[in-house]
Amino acid sequence: MNGFQLQQTVSKAEDTWRVSHFCTTRLGISRKMLVSIKHHGDILRNGQHVNVHDVLREGDEVQVLFPEETPAEDMIATQGELDILFEDDWLLVVNKPPGMASIPSRLHPERSLSNYVLGYYRQQGIPYAIHIVNRLDRDTSGLVLFAKHGLAHHRMSQMQQANQIERHYLAYAPGTVPAQTIDQPIGQTDHSFMERMVRPDGQRAVTHILNSRTIEAFNQTISLLDIRLETGRTHQIRVHLAFLGHPLIGDTMYSGEPLLPRQALHSASAVFPHPATGERVRFEAPLPEDLRLE
């Protein structure tokens, strides 16, 4: 199978640039990735092999042939249905159901969302490894982003570091929860590998509750929250709402009322510049039936 290929024309402003500078600056290829391309891929100028130290001229056609990607040896390809929201040569956007892990674990090696994506890749002849951009807890539903190949993953990671990926969640919490920003550090608890808590020595975590409206469900007042994450700490929304005294409905790990069989949290949308074009794109995952409380 062939790996990913990228082709661009050298502009007037890029005349006399070296191949290496063109690749890292114009094409956004990391230096580590460029080394891998040198050894396992190829760079062509006007159809001919070129050295990374060679000089380019205006109008040259530069084609980068990325190395073939192979999944981890212990990664199992699982066959099954995927709810695909969007797909192109750079991205795969999937709607994850509740009750499914995002990535495999030692105890559950073959039925995570990533296993099903790999199964889909094999079925479609897509020659890439798994590059998951945002993970969701097992019982959180909604939108998960996969970068199709290493370059897409590198560019998406840069966007994450620059806070350019705007992620919105819908959540149900008991009582009346006003719109607000929660800026409280989160770290691991002293008694559990899994649980997190607000603690002064934790990592900075910022959660924006943008909108809140109350509904009546389960014979009580509940707030439906529109939440934007600024950071992406483990269990961040769950921990911050528990810190406010309004743990998510169904989130028994953080003392939420067991009114649902899972925490009432849904990854609803993501907005970011497309890694290939820079055009701002938006993807949405509809609220699943078990969270339609109105």
Side-chain angles (χ1 to χ4, degrees):
M1 287 186 222
N2 295 321
F4 178 67
Q5 300 184 18
L6 187 64
Q7 184 168 325
Q8 293 288 345
T9 303
V10 178
S11 69
K12 183 177 181 180
E14 296 156 347
D15 186 71
T16 72
W17 280 17
R18 294 191 183 276
V19 171
S20 58
H21 185 61
F22 182 84
C23 287
T24 56
T25 305
R26 169 74 180 278
L27 303 183
I29 298 172
S30 69
R31 294 194 176 278
K32 180 180 179 180
M33 196 179 299
L34 189 59
V35 171
S36 179
I37 292 166
K38 284 170 57 179
H39 290 98
H40 305 290
D42 203 355
I43 303 174
L44 307 178
R45 176 181 57 194
N46 304 323
Q48 300 297 317
H49 172 77
V50 68
N51 190 283
V52 293
H53 300 296
D54 288 347
V55 173
L56 298 170
R57 307 302 304 193
E58 179 186 357
D60 282 347
E61 290 289 336
V62 177
Q63 185 178 17
V64 181
L65 310 180
F66 289 77
E68 292 183 11
E69 294 187 8
T70 55
E73 290 184 3
D74 58 351
M75 185 75 172
I76 298 170
T78 304
Q79 298 299 319
E81 293 294 323
L82 279 178
D83 185 2
I84 296 175
L85 302 172
F86 175 83
E87 181 179 11
D88 65 7
D89 291 339
W90 290 72
L91 296 170
L92 180 71
V93 185
V94 180
N95 186 16
K96 186 185 85 67
M100 179 184 289
S102 292
I103 60 172
S105 65
R106 184 176 59 83
L107 295 178
H108 304 282
E110 59 181 293
R111 292 193 176 274
S112 75
L113 184 65
S114 295
N115 294 119
Y116 285 108
V117 168
L118 182 58
Y120 172 74
Y121 282 2
R122 294 276 174 84
Q123 186 181 46
Q124 299 296 318
I126 298 172
Y128 302 131
I130 298 299
H131 302 281
I132 191 168
V133 177
N134 68 305
R135 301 179 188 179
L136 299 180
D137 297 337
R138 176 182 292 274
D139 286 333
T140 299
S141 57
L143 189 146
V144 179
L145 303 169
F146 288 87
K148 276 283 193 73
H149 43 75
L151 179 60
H153 196 202
H154 173 65
R155 292 186 181 179
M156 294 296 288
S157 296
Q158 289 181 316
M159 288 183 214
Q160 285 181 309
Q161 293 169 10
N163 201 27
Q164 292 179 316
I165 302 179
E166 184 177 309
R167 293 171 291 156
H168 284 251
Y169 290 74
L170 294 177
Y172 291 103
T176 301
V177 184
Q180 60 188 288
T181 292
I182 311 160
D183 187 347
Q184 294 289 342
I186 291 175
Q188 193 173 310
T189 64
D190 294 329
H191 64 274
S192 169
F193 175 76
M194 287 293 297
E195 287 185 48
R196 300 295 190 270
M197 64 181 295
V198 168
R199 55 186 302 164
D201 60 346
Q203 293 180 295
R204 185 171 185 245
V206 182
T207 302
H208 302 284
I209 301 177
L210 302 178
N211 292 293
S212 174
R213 65 181 178 87
T214 57
I215 66 170
E216 296 299 318
F218 306 113
N219 297 314
Q220 61 178 285
T221 298
I222 289 176
S223 293
L224 173 57
L225 308 176
D226 175 11
I227 296 172
R228 180 173 69 84
L229 282 181
E230 184 173 322
T231 55
R233 309 303 174 204
T234 299
H235 297 178
Q236 179 172 316
I237 292 173
R238 300 166 64 186
V239 172
H240 274 170
L241 287 175
F243 174 77
L244 291 182
H246 298 272
L248 284 170
I249 297 293
D251 192 0
T252 54
M253 177 178 284
Y254 295 106
S255 302
E257 292 186 75
L259 302 174
L260 290 171
R262 56 109 164 185
Q263 69 251 13
L265 184 61
H266 178 70
S267 174
S269 68
V271 183
F272 53 90
H274 191 282
T277 66
E279 179 184 356
R280 196 165 175 82
V281 292
R282 177 184 180 89
F283 303 110
E284 297 182 353
L287 197 66
E289 285 298 326
D290 69 333
L291 294 187
R292 295 182 185 274
L293 303 184
E294 296 182 275

